Amino acid sequence: MTVTEETTPTSHYERIGGAASVKAAVDLFYDRVLADPEVAGYFTDVNMTGQRRHLAAMLTVVLGGPNEYTGRDLAQAHQPLGITEAQYATVGGHLTATLTQLGVPADTLAYVADVLAQVQDQVVATGTRPGV
Ligand code: HEM
């Protein structure tokens, strides 16, 4: 009987094509980010090989793939950087544009947009928000 196969919902991760697609997305995403003068400066001293690996691992978990993420949590990694809401929106736009370019389905895009909204407060530096 194949009840499990028939009833287990397929994850976003599997549907977009698994590890190879996530890697393609991360590569394309950082190409965009590093070409954007508004945010590229943040990455000047960052080891981009490790960075790509960490983001790939995190995106994998977010999309419902296997959990192999070993980096810091988002607040720890980003709060010291002084990232503004505008810069966050810019980087989120690069991620959405990348996924759209790769043909990711609309419901996965909507899901990623939800997650981006949920984690914004961990990434944007507290002191940069008006009134906070
Ligand atoms: C939802 C949005 C974001 C996600 C999911 C994300 C994810 C990550 C991950 C997984 C790491 C690695 C953490 C580690 O090495 O322990 C990281 C580091 C980093 N992120 Fe992000 N990031 C986001 C937004 C941003 C934005 C908006 C910027 C800048 C404008 C940014 C700049 C950086 C930098 C510079 C590092 C390296 C920090 C360091 O090595 O000290 N990130 N990010």
Side-chain angles (χ1 to χ4, degrees), residues 7 22 37-38 42-43 52 63 67-68 72 77 79 87 92 94 101-102 110 116:
T7 56
V22 168
E38 189 191 347
Y42 278 103
F43 297 90
R52 284 172 200 264
L63 294 171
N67 188 351
E68 289 168 7
R72 292 163 293 169
Q79 283 299 314
Q87 289 166 333
H94 286 311
Q101 188 181 335
L102 290 174
L116 283 175

Side-chain angles (χ1 to χ4, degrees), residues 106-121:
D107 67 327
T108 299
L109 282 175
Y111 170 74
V112 169
D114 266 5
V115 173
L116 283 175
Q118 279 167 31
V119 301
Q120 170 162 338
D121 286 356

Side-chain angles (χ1 to χ4, degrees), residues 5-72:
E5 278 168 39
E6 283 163 15
T7 56
T8 305
T10 312
S11 65
H12 291 287
Y13 176 77
E14 287 170 68
R15 270 189 290 151
I16 68 166
S21 300
V22 168
K23 184 179 181 305
V26 167
D27 284 346
L28 209 55
F29 167 73
Y30 279 125
D31 288 350
R32 280 178 180 269
V33 168
L34 296 179
D36 182 340
E38 189 191 347
V39 287
Y42 278 103
F43 297 90
T44 310
D45 295 326
V46 173
N47 169 348
M48 291 309 294
T49 306
Q51 185 69 12
R52 284 172 200 264
R53 196 171 56 234
H54 282 158
L55 184 62
M58 179 166 277
L59 256 187
T60 297
V61 182
V62 164
L63 294 171
N67 188 351
E68 289 168 7
Y69 182 70
T70 56
R72 292 163 293 169

